[in-house]
């Protein structure tokens, strides 16, 4: 039994419908709405918002989860915008994403830039238009903007772009991934912890957990690029390899990367044990890497 | 004597230095910082942030203006991001902006996308990392995100893109400009009014003032495109005309556009008279269109 997957299955359809309906209600320009929905509705695993919700649920079991859909959704808006911009011709130049044409292939690169910009901006509307106290809202904005911004995800993407084709050290790749992928995952857990009123000690260990989770996520993704199938990935297999991207698999080889993944998952689990969350929904999210 | 220009001259250098220094202190990835600074430091008239500050000053003369540089700066970050993305090859494909190479020409389109994304995201960091009460911070985030987002500036840009080459009606052009240019100008005045604790009545008239100001700004800009010089514009003269952009000059002709501009400036001044701000710094901002 995996509590995280059960939790996700319990709310996934409702969450997806909520995101869709909110945008339909809130966005009035048809082409902007169409571009936003096209990529948001493409699905994906919704790992980040469900990490946020699972963190909250693990800390406060009696929370009404649906009350936090807008907060969790803001993280998915940011993630979706980053995919649209990353896929652009001048960036990774990808044709497929989540098993469908990328946003700029479906529409135009100009419209894809705007779809990304509007999803990014809309995240901050959702973080401040809800029933939470203002103090919490402003902290949520800080966490999400810091993690998504110039010192977080965007820094990671920049380092990735300027180093594609050059071989990086393991330390450099870890740093890159911490920013590019890890920052938003860490933000998701932090946002859940903030909404769940975690103590400073719990916050400390959850932060370490989330950093490990983010790193594990990237290694797992790199492994999938060589061991997965196109249907599993929703994009071309071996693309990272082909483009000389700096992946763990390229640096370490497959078996050592698998071993590193297992060690990090173990470390992440230990962080949860420290704060008695080792039997929680959140702990079960680590089974994703099994 | 123009109080607005005096006010701007008094603080402009300090404001520009502040924006630069804050980013240098806050952004740690060199290439991201470089891309952000390149376009931010290019100058421009800083009309939007100074409208915000002038609104505040007009309402509360004893305010310490420098305390609000971060709030005013957040508007300039949004404006600068929008210019970078608008100039991209897939958008307006401009080579020059503010008298220097556009961001994507100086660096690469990929880096320009990221510079824009990071400026946009950073605006929300500035709006929530300051000494204002949380209630004000969250309202500022709402105002700026709504005006910059899917129902504001981005909607205007989308309508512009999908209609370039088609002739729009005057009503349609007005609607387009209200969103593309007007929204952020309205936001600047609203943000100043919020910080200056304007009453509901003052807020109402300031909002109407700002809508007029935004429209006047666009007509003035359209007129400059045909009557200005490249050094005055910092970009190619006659470009809008050449590309079949829907401008007031194209729709109305030069003289009627000038007449319309004068009427709107008069209406804007009247709004200020209603709330006894007709002798204020803000009123003098209308002399920009003389």
């Amino acid at each position: 039994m995996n509590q995280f997957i059960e939790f996700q299955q319990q709310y996934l359809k409702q969450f997806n419908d909520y995101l869709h309906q909110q945008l339909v209600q809130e966005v009035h320009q048809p082409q902007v709405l169409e571009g936003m929905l096209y990529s948001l509705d493409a699905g994906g695993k919704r790992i980040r918002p469900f990490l946020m919700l699972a963190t909250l649920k693990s800390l406060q079991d009696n929370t009404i989860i649906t009350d936090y859909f807008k907060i969790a959704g803001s993280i998915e808006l940011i993630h979706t915008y980053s995919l649209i911009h990353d896929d652009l011709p001048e960036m990774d130049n990808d044709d497929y994403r989540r098993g469908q044409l990328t946003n700029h292939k479906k529409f135009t690169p100009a419209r894809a830039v705007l779809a990304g910009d509007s999803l990014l901006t809309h995240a901050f509307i959702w973080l401040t238009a809800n029933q939470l106290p203002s103090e919490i809202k402003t902290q949520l904005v800080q966490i999400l903007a810091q993690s998504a911004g110039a010192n977080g995800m965007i820094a990671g993407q920049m380092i990735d772009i300027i180093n594609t084709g050059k071989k990086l050290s393991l330390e450099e790749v870890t740093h890159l991934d911490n920013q590019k992928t890890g920052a938003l995952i860490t933000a998701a857990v932090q946002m859940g912890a903030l909404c769940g009123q975690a103590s400073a000690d719990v916050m400390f260990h959850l932060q370490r957990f989330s950093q490990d989770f983010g790193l594990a996520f990237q290694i797992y993704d790199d492994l999938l690029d060589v061991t997965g199938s196109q249907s599993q990935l929703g994009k071309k297999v071996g693309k990272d390899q082909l483009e000389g991207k700096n992946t763990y698999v390229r640096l370490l080889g497959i078996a050592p990367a698998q071993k590193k993944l297992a060690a990090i998952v173990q470390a992440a689990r230990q962080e949860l044990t420290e704060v008695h969350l080792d039997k929680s929904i959140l702990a079960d999210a680590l089974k994703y890497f099994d």
Side-chain angles (χ1 to χ4, degrees), chain A:
Chain A
M1 194 193 84
N2 184 327
Q3 295 177 76
F4 182 79
I5 289 180
E6 275 182 20
F7 177 67
Q8 205 176 12
Q9 283 172 346
Q10 184 184 349
Y11 289 106
L12 186 61
K13 188 184 176 311
Q14 207 180 339
F15 178 68
N16 286 338
D17 289 349
Y18 178 86
L19 299 189
H20 181 95
Q21 285 309 325
Q22 281 301 120
L23 287 188
V24 168
Q25 279 171 37
E26 294 172 12
V27 177
H28 310 310
Q29 206 291 323
Q31 283 82 7
V32 173
L33 176 63
E34 186 182 29
M36 293 170 87
L37 286 179
Y38 177 76
S39 292
L40 194 67
D41 285 347
K45 299 173 293 281
R46 313 292 195 202
I47 284 284
R48 292 159 191 79
F50 274 94
L51 269 181
M52 182 266 158
L53 295 171
T55 304
L56 171 60
K57 178 80 175 166
S58 298
L59 293 168
Q60 293 190 338
D61 191 42
N62 58 350
T63 300
I64 299 167
I65 288 300
T66 51
D67 284 354
Y68 291 87
F69 273 2
K70 225 180 207 178
I71 308 303
S74 71
I75 307 169
E76 192 65 17
L77 295 184
I78 294 283
H79 176 57
T80 305
Y81 120 73
S82 76
L83 299 182
I84 296 174
H85 282 190
D86 285 5
D87 287 339
L88 284 169
E90 60 258 49
M91 305 280 273
D92 288 354
N93 193 23
D94 275 309
D95 293 351
Y96 288 93
R97 165 72 74 178
R98 291 175 170 175
Q100 66 178 22
L101 284 174
T102 47
N103 199 292
H104 65 92
K105 278 282 174 182
K106 172 74 180 176
F107 305 105
T108 62
R111 286 188 55 176
V113 169
L114 294 179
D117 291 344
S118 52
L119 287 164
L120 166 52
T121 310
H122 216 80
F124 298 104
I125 294 178
W126 282 5
L127 284 186
T128 46
N130 57 63
Q131 296 310 307
L132 294 174
S134 295
E135 293 70 25
I136 302 292
K137 289 177 182 172
T138 58
Q139 287 181 64
L140 290 171
V141 170
Q142 273 291 314
I143 295 170
L144 194 58
Q146 292 282 5
S147 72
N151 293 321
M153 193 173 68
I154 293 173
Q157 180 66 4
M158 180 67 87
I159 298 170
D160 196 18
I161 282 176
I162 62 183
N163 287 297
T164 294
K166 296 180 206 160
K167 191 160 184 175
L168 297 183
S169 69
L170 185 61
E171 199 188 338
E172 287 169 325
V173 172
T174 306
H175 178 66
L176 188 167
D177 288 336
N178 270 340
Q179 297 192 288
K180 188 177 171 183
T181 312
L184 202 54
I185 286 174
T186 302
V189 173
Q190 262 187 286
M191 289 165 73
L194 181 65
C195 292
Q197 297 176 294
S199 68
D201 183 51
V202 170
M203 194 70 95
F204 173 81
H205 287 286
L206 282 180
Q207 184 141 1
R208 290 171 58 103
F209 160 82
S210 66
Q211 282 163 351
D212 290 337
F213 195 100
L215 189 53
F217 191 81
Q218 190 60 50
I219 300 175
Y220 185 77
D221 200 56
D222 288 353
L223 281 164
L224 266 193
D225 184 65
V226 290
T227 64
S229 64
Q230 176 153 352
S231 69
Q232 209 175 347
L233 272 72
K235 60 180 181 185
K236 251 165 97 184
V237 180
K239 193 165 187 306
D240 295 346
Q241 198 87 346
L242 205 71
E243 289 172 354
K245 286 267 176 194
N246 286 290
T247 73
Y248 291 98
V249 174
R250 188 178 174 218
L251 275 165
L252 301 170
I254 293 179
Q258 285 168 331
K259 203 175 154 189
K260 190 174 169 67
L261 173 61
I264 289 163
V265 168
Q266 183 52 35
R269 197 176 301 279
Q270 186 55 38
E271 296 298 337
L272 296 182
T273 305
E274 297 288 332
V275 289
H276 312 294
L277 289 170
D278 48 320
K279 307 279 182 228
S280 68
I281 294 178
L282 192 57
D284 276 6
L286 290 169
K287 293 182 187 166
Y288 177 78
F289 307 114
D290 283 352

